[in-house]
Amino acid sequence: MTDETLKYNLPEDRIPKAWYNIVADLPEPLAPVLHPGTGQPVGPDDLAPLFPMALIAQEVSAEREIEIPEPVREVLKLWRPSPLYRARRLEQALDTPAKIYYKYEGVSPSGSHKPNTAVAQAFYNAEEGTKRLSTETGAGQWGSSLAFAGSLFGLPVDVYMVKISYQQKPYRRSLMETYGARCVASPSEETESGRNILAENPDSTGSLGIAISEAVEVAAKNPDTKYALGSVLNHVLLHQSIIGLEAIEQFDMAGDYPDIVVGCAGGGSNLAGLAFPFLGRKLRGGEDVKVLAVEPTACPTLTRGKYAYDFGDTANLTPLVKMYTLGSTFVPEGIHAGGLRYHGMAPLVSHVLDLGLLEARAEPQLDCFAAGVQFARAEGIVPAPESTHAVKEGIDEALKCKEEGVSRTILIGLSGHGHFDMQAYTDYFSGKLEDHAHDQKALRESIALLPHVAAE
Amino acid sequence: MTDETLKYNLPEDRIPKAWYNIVADLPEPLAPVLHPGTGQPVGPDDLAPLFPMALIAQEVSAEREIEIPEPVREVLKLWRPSPLYRARRLEQALDTPAKIYYKYEGVSPSGSHKPNTAVAQAFYNAEEGTKRLSTETGAGQWGSSLAFAGSLFGLPVDVYMVKISYQQKPYRRSLMETYGARCVASPSEETESGRNILAENPDSTGSLGIAISEAVEVAAKNPDTKYALGSVLNHVLLHQSIIGLEAIEQFDMAGDYPDIVVGCAGGGSNLAGLAFPFLGRKLRGGEDVKVLAVEPTACPTLTRGKYAYDFGDTANLTPLVKMYTLGSTFVPEGIHAGGLRYHGMAPLVSHVLDLGLLEARAEPQLDCFAAGVQFARAEGIVPAPESTHAVKEGIDEALKCKEEGVSRTILIGLSGHGHFDMQAYTDYFSGKLEDHAHDQKALRESIALLPHVAAE
């Protein structure tokens, strides 16, 4: 190996000064968000109990660029700009003519891309006088990121953590508590939503949908408390655009540009954060790019879901959003990529897919772990189970290049490290993991229960 | 907070081109390493079964600078240069006039400083035709680092892991296996040392000393297998000097220079890697600097040990080295900072302490965890239990500045993140942790058993 550049580090003064909003460049507007009671589009007042006005404004903004406040950039400096790597060793292991790069978000304090939006959300809330934040978390990536952000802006955080994860993943809980957050097993006795579930089923191990209901209820009922969501919403995707914006600058440094951008998609913010800035250039007449969204076969929202209005949570407390969805009653198998087990998908990602601007693929978990292990042995970084989905697809594209005898430049979104997920690798090596297809009957039933929305 | 620089990133072409060897600048030479059978100084031939010649040459070198091979620098680029941070938020939380910086080694693939030497050792072994590496590991930091390095140079690695950790810390084991290493619970049936221990005590949960004996025995008996050690030895400290060398350049960028350098000390390589390049400048007539080595009260090698010849392992297979030691039979309490539970100390660190060039302090673990939590809430990074010792002492020095109304510049060595050690924080929060003083009777007995060495 020659002395070539393998890591493209931007200096910290090159952290973008503005987020990128793809809404400005899309040929058609997003479908409106509807009030579940009236079926009418929601206005800022409907959202005010849950979010600070600055975030509501971002949620509906059509401005292409939205300035990143200086205090947010100050905190992002702790780990940003994140590195862009050239995966030369992986290329050699695959013996492919493809050029593989990966943008690595595991350098953040909680080990994933989530703090990019957690910091912004904590900042705006602190600025508008919010006294406490409530949120939900599944495996704990989001909860620990918001706990971290809250600690920096002096905001107490209540995290409703899916009970089964609360019991099985004490390390993530411990991380949240280290950052000073209060972590509550959901369903809990603290909310009506939680009590209703427990009355029906005292042994409920919880779900992300239930935890969202609890966190939303707490914010709705307490004037000083606001709610924070770690994916799905437009403002969350906006905050994550910093990933792709940096990557574009780093490709400039490398004198290269991706033909293919691959990201895993759960709620959609990681994929959008990486890919939308590239898609925006394409939409404005710039370089072409193929965007691949990768999801697990166990939760195939984009590849098997319906593009329809649905609720974001189980108790149906959220507004109705038009998105690809498996139905809010669909419960995917317990795959290790907990961050990819959401029944819906960000409306913006759904819209972009519907417009034909991205391709979606579903991968079974065993293939993804095999790709993750291959990546770890070549590049030294153990990917989070979610990120292995992007790695798997990136490797497949590189092997396709080899087959076809062509070189393409592939950008993989490595959304986080797997240090908190080694149990998943243990299970993989001991043969305990299974591939899960989605349950077709459950999916049919869940889709049949989608709310009827007149506006559609 | 203004738009000031908080993170000093060097470009990757500024990774040092040579390691720094403090031996060249010390006023007195190191005491020789002795053969345990003859009591005579060991020569290269004695060490050849265990180490490649390049490392043996480094072990005895008095050259000030030793070139870092290009392939080693290529791998180090994956995470180096590591960032130097200004801890502005911690300063504000402490309301101190002190300027606090920390050099963060948790950005490496295994989350600690250990890969700095693992990569170099794997490289030299691969270059000299070694077919397999054997090593020991306690909590798993070193084992996973060598597993990572081995995977990049195509070297299979056998890791003898202290049995209690093998059972209680499946995540580290899983990380080693992800990198392709074979992990064996020690004591094992694979070696004579292991079988002897098991014959005496079939329920032995192992110790680092036993695991070293096993790994050394395997290398000694198999011509194609060499042994690798993660701390203590001169060449290991040499490889870690990259930490301090980078920090000096980063202080240049910052227009500042530390008055105090603080590191935790287990085997000594982290402390030496950070501090020796600064000490070297002082020894050559440059800036003064106070170096603080921090160890746990449960294993007070530098503050309560004897400066004497001792073995590095339990089965007394290693050469005799002159070092601060609690005696090779001393078994410290089971504190969470597993990396600081070694009975001895690097001969070079011991020598430097003996020359009066550094100060040693012992801290109880509860105070260290309290400091770690305070650091996490201010700076966002959760320190490894070992690193909390340096954080604790750094905070104390900053508070002393406040008391005295003076500003000093303090550099803390943050040797790793705590993501694999969240159980320790869980125990801390749940009140399960205790402070451990060392067992004075056990220490007296252990010291009494130190080998008699005529040369002393």
Side-chain angles (χ1 to χ4, degrees):
Chain A
M1 195 170 293
T2 59
D3 188 9
E4 62 182 343
T5 304
L6 295 177
K7 187 169 66 168
Y8 298 92
N9 265 335
L10 291 171
E12 67 176 23
D13 60 7
R14 296 275 290 281
I15 291 177
K17 297 209 157 44
W19 291 297
Y20 167 68
N21 181 8
I22 198 172
V23 171
D25 291 318
L26 289 178
E28 291 172 32
L30 267 181
V33 173
L34 303 181
H35 192 287
T38 65
Q40 294 302 306
V42 301
D45 288 353
D46 296 309
L47 298 173
L50 297 186
F51 303 107
M53 288 313 293
L55 292 178
I56 294 172
Q58 289 177 4
E59 191 62 22
V60 298
S61 172
E63 293 293 314
R64 181 174 291 118
E65 296 200 332
I66 295 176
E67 194 190 337
I68 306 179
E70 202 46 47
V72 172
R73 294 180 77 238
E74 282 297 312
V75 175
L76 294 179
K77 281 182 190 174
L78 280 172
W79 73 97
R80 303 209 73 83
S82 71
L84 176 76
Y85 285 99
R86 172 79 184 272
R88 284 292 284 148
R89 291 180 187 80
L90 180 61
E91 292 169 18
Q92 284 162 359
L94 298 171
D95 188 25
T96 172
K99 291 189 277 184
I100 306 175
Y101 294 81
Y102 55 99
K103 176 77 171 164
Y104 183 42
E105 293 294 309
V107 291
S108 83
S110 64
S112 79
H113 65 294
K114 295 287 186 187
N116 295 331
T117 182
V119 170
Q121 292 190 47
F123 164 75
Y124 288 117
N125 272 288
E127 208 185 34
E128 295 190 25
T130 303
K131 297 292 178 232
R132 180 174 286 274
L133 286 175
S134 74
T135 197
E136 74 289 329
T137 201
Q141 289 273 12
W142 168 244
S144 53
S145 301
L146 193 68
F148 150 70
S151 79
L152 294 193
F153 289 103
L155 267 179
V157 177
D158 288 346
V159 183
Y160 292 86
M161 184 173 188
V162 176
K163 192 177 279 174
I164 185 78
S165 297
Y166 182 93
Q167 290 163 344
Q168 290 180 350
K169 305 200 170 184
Y171 302 122
R172 277 279 174 194
R173 171 158 51 105
S174 178
L175 182 58
M176 292 181 237
E177 289 170 356
T178 301
Y179 287 133
R182 195 172 71 91
C183 196
V184 182
S186 166
S188 78
E189 293 286 348
E190 294 190 359
T191 68
E192 208 179 304
S193 315
R195 287 189 296 269
N196 286 344
I197 298 279
L198 289 172
E200 241 178 72
N201 176 10
D203 298 329
S204 167
T205 53
S207 76
L208 202 55
I210 295 170
I212 294 178
S213 299
E214 291 207 273
V216 167
E217 181 187 325
V218 166
K221 288 186 175 168
N222 295 282
D224 283 353
T225 301
K226 300 280 185 204
Y227 170 69
L229 189 64
S231 189
V232 178
L233 298 179
N234 300 348
H235 68 266
V236 178
L237 274 57
L238 177 79
H239 302 155
Q240 294 293 357
S241 68
I242 200 163
I243 304 173
L245 292 169
E246 285 178 5
I248 287 173
E249 287 213 53
Q250 288 163 317
F251 271 105
D252 258 3
M253 290 170 70
D256 208 341
Y257 197 84
D259 300 298
I260 300 168
V261 175
V262 195
C264 62
S269 73
N270 160 64
L271 173 82
L274 178 71
F276 281 6
F278 289 96
L279 273 185
R281 277 166 76 111
K282 173 176 168 170
L283 287 164
R284 296 191 301 277
E287 304 88 338
D288 193 22
V289 66
K290 180 161 91 171
V291 175
L292 298 178
V294 194
E295 58 188 12
T297 49
C299 190
T301 316
L302 291 170
T303 51
R304 302 294 178 107
K306 189 173 168 186
Y307 189 39
Y309 273 97
D310 196 6
F311 293 99
D313 69 327
T314 300
N316 296 355
L317 298 179
T318 69
L320 288 164
V321 293
K322 193 171 180 190
M323 61 181 176
Y324 278 87
T325 177
L326 300 167
S328 66
T329 56
F330 183 82
V331 179
E333 299 283 340
I335 55 169
H336 271 291
L340 306 184
R341 290 181 71 237
Y342 185 60
H343 71 275
M345 181 58 64
L348 263 174
V349 170
S350 300
H351 185 44
V352 163
L353 174 63
D354 199 51
L355 290 169
L357 291 168
L358 65 81
E359 290 177 35
R361 296 184 188 167
E363 294 289 352
Q365 73 174 345
L366 288 180
D367 286 355
C368 293
F369 275 104
V373 169
Q374 182 171 29
F375 186 90
R377 291 181 185 176
E379 294 293 317
I381 296 170
V382 179
E386 292 82 1
S387 313
T388 62
H389 289 72
V391 170
K392 156 71 177 144
E393 208 64 34
I395 289 178
D396 280 1
E397 288 293 325
L399 292 175
K400 205 182 291 173
C401 286
K402 183 177 171 181
E403 236 177 72
E404 299 175 8
V406 296
S407 172
R408 294 190 194 96
T409 296
I410 300 166
L411 169 59
I412 294 171
L414 203 69
S415 54
H417 66 59
H419 291 181
F420 285 105
D421 305 285
M422 294 315 297
Q423 183 62 49
Y425 282 89
T426 303
D427 291 350
Y428 172 68
F429 286 120
S430 61
K432 279 190 201 153
L433 285 196
E434 288 174 24
D435 278 339
H436 297 284
H438 64 283
D439 181 332
Q440 300 199 19
K441 180 158 167 287
L443 178 57
R444 269 196 308 274
E445 289 171 3
S446 168
I447 295 268
L449 287 172
L450 282 175
H452 175 71
V453 175
E456 270 182 287
Chain B
M1 197 169 291
T2 58
D3 188 8
E4 62 181 343
T5 303
L6 295 177
K7 187 170 64 169
Y8 298 91
N9 266 335
L10 291 172
E12 68 176 23
D13 59 8
R14 297 275 289 281
I15 291 177
K17 296 208 159 41
W19 291 297
Y20 167 68
N21 182 7
I22 198 170
V23 170
D25 291 318
L26 289 178
E28 292 173 31
L30 267 181
V33 173
L34 303 182
H35 191 287
T38 64
Q40 294 303 304
V42 300
D45 289 352
D46 296 308
L47 297 173
L50 297 185
F51 303 107
M53 289 313 291
L55 292 177
I56 294 171
Q58 289 177 5
E59 192 61 25
V60 298
S61 172
E63 293 293 312
R64 181 174 290 118
E65 295 200 334
I66 294 178
E67 194 191 337
I68 307 179
E70 201 45 46
V72 172
R73 294 180 76 238
E74 282 296 313
V75 175
L76 295 180
K77 281 183 189 174
L78 280 172
W79 73 97
R80 302 209 73 85
S82 71
L84 175 76
Y85 286 97
R86 173 80 185 272
R88 284 291 283 148
R89 291 181 187 80
L90 180 60
E91 292 169 18
Q92 284 162 359
L94 298 171
D95 189 24
T96 173
K99 289 189 279 182
I100 307 175
Y101 294 80
Y102 56 99
K103 176 77 169 163
Y104 183 44
E105 293 294 309
V107 292
S108 84
S110 64
S112 79
H113 64 294
K114 295 285 184 186
N116 295 332
T117 182
V119 170
Q121 293 190 48
F123 165 76
Y124 288 117
N125 273 288
E127 209 185 35
E128 295 190 26
T130 303
K131 297 293 180 232
R132 181 174 286 275
L133 287 174
S134 74
T135 196
E136 73 291 328
T137 200
Q141 289 273 13
W142 167 244
S144 55
S145 300
L146 193 68
F148 151 71
S151 79
L152 293 192
F153 289 103
L155 266 179
V157 177
D158 288 346
V159 183
Y160 293 85
M161 184 173 188
V162 176
K163 192 177 277 175
I164 185 79
S165 297
Y166 182 92
Q167 290 162 344
Q168 290 180 350
K169 305 199 171 186
Y171 303 121
R172 277 279 173 196
R173 170 158 51 104
S174 178
L175 182 58
M176 292 181 236
E177 289 169 357
T178 300
Y179 287 132
R182 196 171 71 92
C183 195
V184 182
S186 165
S188 78
E189 294 286 349
E190 294 190 359
T191 68
E192 206 178 305
S193 315
R195 287 189 295 271
N196 286 344
I197 298 279
L198 289 172
E200 241 179 70
N201 176 11
D203 298 329
S204 166
T205 53
S207 75
L208 203 55
I210 296 170
I212 294 178
S213 299
E214 292 207 272
V216 167
E217 182 186 324
V218 166
K221 289 187 175 167
N222 295 282
D224 284 352
T225 300
K226 300 279 185 206
Y227 170 70
L229 188 65
S231 190
V232 178
L233 298 179
N234 300 348
H235 67 267
V236 179
L237 275 55
L238 177 78
H239 301 156
Q240 294 294 358
S241 68
I242 199 163
I243 304 172
L245 291 169
E246 286 178 3
I248 287 173
E249 286 213 53
Q250 288 163 317
F251 272 105
D252 258 1
M253 288 171 72
D256 207 343
Y257 197 84
D259 301 297
I260 300 168
V261 175
V262 193
C264 62
S269 73
N270 160 66
L271 174 83
L274 178 71
F276 281 6
F278 289 97
L279 273 184
R281 277 166 76 112
K282 172 176 171 172
L283 287 164
R284 296 192 301 278
E287 304 88 337
D288 193 22
V289 67
K290 180 162 91 171
V291 175
L292 298 178
V294 194
E295 59 187 12
T297 49
C299 190
T301 315
L302 291 170
T303 51
R304 303 292 179 109
K306 188 171 170 188
Y307 189 39
Y309 273 95
D310 196 7
F311 293 99
D313 70 328
T314 301
N316 296 355
L317 297 179
T318 69
L320 288 163
V321 294
K322 192 170 179 191
M323 60 180 176
Y324 278 89
T325 177
L326 301 168
S328 66
T329 56
F330 183 81
V331 179
E333 298 284 340
I335 55 168
H336 271 291
L340 306 183
R341 290 181 69 236
Y342 186 60
H343 71 274
M345 181 59 65
L348 263 173
V349 170
S350 300
H351 185 45
V352 163
L353 174 63
D354 199 51
L355 290 169
L357 291 168
L358 65 82
E359 290 177 33
R361 298 185 186 165
E363 294 289 352
Q365 73 173 346
L366 288 180
D367 286 355
C368 293
F369 275 104
V373 170
Q374 182 171 32
F375 186 90
R377 291 183 185 175
E379 294 295 316
I381 296 170
V382 179
E386 291 82 1
S387 313
T388 62
H389 289 71
V391 170
K392 156 73 177 140
E393 209 65 34
I395 289 178
D396 280 2
E397 288 293 327
L399 292 175
K400 206 182 289 173
C401 286
K402 183 178 171 180
E403 235 177 75
E404 299 173 8
V406 296
S407 173
R408 294 188 194 97
T409 296
I410 300 166
L411 169 59
I412 294 172
L414 203 68
S415 54
H417 65 59
H419 290 180
F420 287 106
D421 306 285
M422 294 314 298
Q423 184 63 48
Y425 282 90
T426 303
D427 291 350
Y428 172 68
F429 286 120
S430 62
K432 279 188 202 155
L433 286 196
E434 287 174 24
D435 278 339
H436 296 284
H438 65 281
D439 179 332
Q440 299 197 22
K441 181 158 168 287
L443 179 57
R444 269 195 309 272
E445 289 170 4
S446 168
I447 295 267
L449 288 172
L450 280 175
H452 175 72
V453 175
E456 270 182 288

